[in-house]
Amino acid sequence: MDNIAGSKSSLTWAVHLSVAFLVILWLFPTVGLFVSSFRTGDQIASSGWWKSMFPTEQNLVIRAGAPDTQVQQGALYVIEGDLFDGRSAGEVSVWGISSREIDAYKAGETVTLKDGSTLTVQPDGIFRMENTEEFTGSRGQRIFITATTPPEFTTDNYQNMLLDPSNREGMSKAFFSTLTVTIPSTIIPILIAAFAAYALAWMEFPGRAILIACVVGLLVVPLQLALIPLLKFHNAVGIGKGYMGVWFAHTGFGLPLAIYLLRNYMVGLPRDIIENAKVDGATDFQIFTRIILPLSFPALASFAIFQFLWTWNDLLVAMVFLVDSSGETTVMTKQIVELLGTRGGNWEILATAAFISMAVPIAVFFALQRYLVRGLLAGSVK
């Protein structure tokens, strides 16, 4: 019965479920990274992103009550304030003044400290310290609290990473540097490969088959094999390590796939259109620009997606071929690697930086994804 016209094979549902599973598997970490980029460090440390919409219980260590904030009220010196310091209001359940006993006291209790002063912490986070003598020292009392805090989201992470010019670990410079690398590295190989693909597909000349075989052979050459020889060549011709060098490197590494993909697509175009254009007196250049390029847009878009993703997420080629005016390699992948070393405990900063690096490729992919399948499958069947 599965073969009757109009009926669906039982494998159709398996395919649909598999696709749905893969989509969910891909979206799960992406959504988690997006949500985490808007959370505070304390929230990320206390609960997973799937609990971001619910109150969470977390342990906080707060240095409160600096002596320079004390005021004299009659015979007493008083320091008071809010342990939550303007953040989303929480509710303190227990607290302590030692890391060994962070739950020694309940909210609302008054405790006598070693220096004779008293400390009271209320459930709403308001604390009050009193002493008959003036408070001394340079730092405040360390207080450990266990509090239930409501969901908290902030855009400070993005402002710090993108808009704060004083933040040397920010992503703004790396973002524009990566765009400077990626856009030309995507456009240049497309322009060159389109001309080469048209010649290999529709122009008769000696050695064409050998050139096609060479292009196919270059697809299997490991990128790492050519890094050092290509760098020596760049230094010999005076390109050195800069934007031009990294553009040419990405162009060289991307051309074999681009030529192969575009040539297979152009071969599948109707021959009658090209022959009629030649009969009407069109030159090869006119046929290429007015007929072949518009019809080849799906293949061009498919390669543009791959090349953009490769160059945007590249670290190895940028490290070898790129040094900017400041003497550093400043691309987003390099910046994230540095953040892993210097800000390994600041998960909100890492999540924000990672999502910033993902946002542009995701936008490019969804803008051009409708052309992806058509461009990749072109020439596979007749």
Side-chain angles (χ1 to χ4, degrees), residues 11-42:
L11 292 178
T12 302
W13 302 109
V15 172
H16 290 171
L17 291 175
S18 300
V19 172
F21 173 76
L22 291 176
V23 170
I24 294 173
L25 191 65
W26 183 80
L27 284 177
F28 191 79
T30 305
V31 173
L33 201 62
F34 175 73
V35 174
S36 297
S37 67
F38 288 97
R39 304 182 75 196
T40 63
D42 293 335

Side-chain angles (χ1 to χ4, degrees), residues 43 52-56 58 87-91 148-153:
Q43 292 276 345
S52 60
M53 301 301 296
F54 306 97
T56 58
Q58 52 186 309
R87 294 177 294 179
S88 298
E91 183 177 353
T148 301
T149 58
E152 183 178 1
F153 299 95

Side-chain angles (χ1 to χ4, degrees), residues 189-190 192-194 197 215 219 251 253-264 299 303 307 310:
I190 288 178
I192 299 175
V215 170
L219 289 172
T251 297
F253 295 139
L255 273 178
L257 177 62
I259 295 174
Y260 178 76
L261 185 65
L262 295 177
R263 186 257 175 192
N264 284 351
F303 175 74
Q307 184 70 359
W310 286 333

Side-chain angles (χ1 to χ4, degrees), residues 104-368:
Y105 314 108
K106 294 182 179 180
E109 284 191 43
T110 300
V111 178
T112 302
L113 305 180
K114 293 180 179 180
D115 60 358
S117 62
T118 59
L119 170 62
T120 305
V121 177
Q122 301 295 341
D124 58 359
I126 301 299
F127 72 94
R128 180 181 175 91
M129 297 179 65
E130 298 179 352
N131 200 345
T132 56
E133 299 180 358
E134 185 176 359
F135 290 95
T136 59
S138 59
R139 298 191 299 175
Q141 173 65 41
R142 190 170 61 165
I143 304 175
F144 298 84
I145 64 173
T146 300
T148 301
T149 58
E152 183 178 1
F153 299 95
T154 178
T155 59
D156 291 344
N157 299 332
Y158 285 93
Q159 293 177 357
N160 183 38
M161 296 302 295
L162 289 177
L163 304 179
D164 186 1
S166 63
N167 181 15
R168 64 176 299 272
E169 296 176 335
M171 300 294 287
S172 55
K173 180 181 178 181
F175 180 83
F176 289 106
S177 179
T178 306
L179 282 179
T180 305
V181 171
T182 303
I183 294 176
S185 297
T186 302
I187 296 176
I188 294 174
I190 288 178
L191 292 178
I192 299 175
F195 283 100
Y198 175 76
L200 294 176
W202 294 107
M203 298 178 67
E204 297 289 342
F205 57 90
R208 188 179 69 163
I210 297 177
L211 284 178
I212 295 174
C214 291
V215 170
V216 175
L218 288 173
L219 289 172
V220 299
V221 176
L223 178 148
Q224 295 83 356
L225 187 66
L227 289 178
I228 301 304
L230 189 57
L231 179 60
K232 291 182 177 180
F233 174 75
H234 282 189
N235 293 330
V237 299
I239 297 177
K241 299 182 69 173
Y243 285 114
M244 185 172 294
V246 77
W247 293 341
F248 287 164
H250 280 302
T251 297
F253 295 139
L255 273 178
L257 177 62
I259 295 174
Y260 178 76
L261 185 65
L262 295 177
R263 186 257 175 192
N264 284 351
Y265 188 90
M266 292 179 183
V267 166
L269 296 177
R271 180 178 294 272
D272 293 341
I273 297 177
I274 299 174
E275 291 179 348
N276 291 337
K278 290 183 177 180
V279 170
D280 291 337
T283 64
D284 283 318
F285 184 76
Q286 290 173 329
I287 294 173
F288 173 72
T289 56
R290 298 184 181 182
I291 298 177
I292 299 299
L293 280 184
L295 292 177
S296 302
F297 187 79
L300 295 172
S302 298
F303 175 74
I305 291 175
F306 282 110
Q307 184 70 359
F308 191 94
L309 294 180
W310 286 333
T311 54
W312 182 273
N313 295 319
D314 169 70
L315 175 62
L316 179 60
V317 176
M319 292 286 289
V320 174
F321 293 97
L322 178 62
V323 174
D324 60 16
S325 58
S326 64
E328 298 180 354
T329 300
T330 307
V331 291
M332 298 191 72
T333 48
K334 175 67 161 48
Q335 197 72 6
I336 292 175
V337 170
E338 292 184 354
L339 288 176
L340 288 172
T342 60
R343 304 294 290 274
N346 298 76
W347 295 109
E348 73 281 9
I349 298 298
L350 293 174
T352 304
F355 190 80
I356 291 172
S357 69
M358 292 172 54
V360 175
I362 289 175
V364 171
F365 176 80
F366 282 110
L368 301 176

